Amino acid sequence: MLRERLIGAHLAGWQLAVHAIGDAAVDTILDIIAEAQSILPRDDARHRLEHVSVVSDEQIARIRELGLTVVPQGRFIPELGDGVIEAVGEERLPLVYRAKGFLEQGVEMAGSTDAPVVAADPILNIAALVNRTTAKGRDFVPEERITVEQAVRAYTVGSAKAVHQENDKGSLAHGKLADFTVLSEDIFTVAPEAIEEVSVTATVVGGRVVAGGF
């Protein structure tokens, strides 16, 4: 049933956004999307994998080859990470909640929290992607840490591309929507551990202040 529905949606021109948490689930979805593309190639389908919580380098290579966008949730690390460490085990832990591994292989990544499962605040998610520490203060696969610039890009350019809207939003440029936020501090210069303390002081949508003020 899943195969038929996903292939049918692809053939109908839809963009897929498929939840796949474990590596076995990822393999299943990659096989289905590869089959769909073999039936009807679509160069810019931008099908999405939501969560992609356990994934190997080889699977990331397939994700890139298929032109997929990944939508992981860094905020899972501080809120769920301690339990995950115990459940997954040391051997498989390097495959969990990856970020840098996607970017190093050229995979487009969109920022997401999966709220209300965890906190919805994008600032908290950016902090988690940068710091990768659990609630108990343990490092969670520190090799997968990314820079503030990379995390912010995932939430702006990456998210816009994930929904085919990069011509309208994702960056501040002539001809695009004037949607942006004003922060209490420069997120690019504060210490990584202080990112969580940065707050939104104003929100502008379409050039109009809709929350807070300057």
Side-chain angles (χ1 to χ4, degrees):
M1 180 68 73
L2 177 65
R3 173 183 170 276
E4 287 78 7
R5 289 191 173 184
L6 292 181
I7 292 178
H10 172 85
L11 297 179
W14 289 17
Q15 179 187 17
L16 306 178
V18 190
H19 290 232
I21 294 176
D23 50 352
V26 171
D27 274 338
T28 296
I29 301 306
L30 294 180
D31 288 344
I32 293 172
I33 293 177
E35 183 180 356
Q37 286 284 21
S38 71
I39 297 170
L40 177 65
R42 289 172 52 195
D43 291 337
D44 197 27
R46 299 191 205 180
H47 295 319
R48 289 163 35 189
L49 291 181
E50 313 293 312
H51 308 310
V52 206
S53 298
V54 183
V55 64
S56 67
D57 288 342
E58 293 75 18
Q59 289 175 314
I60 293 176
R62 286 194 72 196
I63 290 170
R64 184 195 67 243
E65 290 166 3
L66 289 168
L68 308 182
T69 296
V70 295
V71 189
Q73 291 75 32
R75 188 64 194 169
F76 283 178
I77 295 170
E79 297 198 34
L80 308 176
D82 288 304
V84 170
I85 290 174
E86 303 303 326
V88 172
E90 184 177 341
E91 182 178 349
R92 287 176 57 79
L93 189 60
L95 306 181
V96 182
Y97 300 154
R98 303 187 68 177
K100 188 176 182 180
F102 293 127
L103 300 182
E104 286 185 333
Q105 291 209 46
V107 173
E108 192 68 66
M109 184 172 77
S112 168
T113 60
D114 200 40
V117 176
V118 295
D121 188 343
I123 300 296
L124 297 180
N125 198 39
I126 289 169
L129 290 167
V130 172
N131 293 300
R132 297 185 67 89
T133 54
T134 70
K136 293 182 179 180
R138 292 190 283 185
D139 286 338
F140 193 104
V141 196
E143 297 80 12
E144 288 291 325
R145 287 176 178 145
I146 60 176
T147 67
V148 176
E149 289 82 1
Q150 290 170 324
V152 169
R153 186 190 184 283
Y155 251 103
T156 53
V157 176
S159 293
K161 285 187 173 182
V163 292
H164 292 268
Q165 293 184 0
E166 70 272 19
N167 292 327
D168 297 318
K169 58 181 67 174
S171 60
L172 294 177
H174 180 71
K176 292 190 175 184
L177 299 174
D179 297 348
F180 62 91
T181 58
V182 179
L183 304 182
S184 60
E185 296 183 74
D186 185 348
I187 197 172
F188 295 101
T189 61
V190 299
E193 60 271 17
I195 294 174
E196 289 193 4
E197 301 171 11
V198 176
S199 60
V200 176
T201 61
T203 301
V204 178
V205 178
R208 185 171 63 89
V209 178
V210 297
F214 294 92

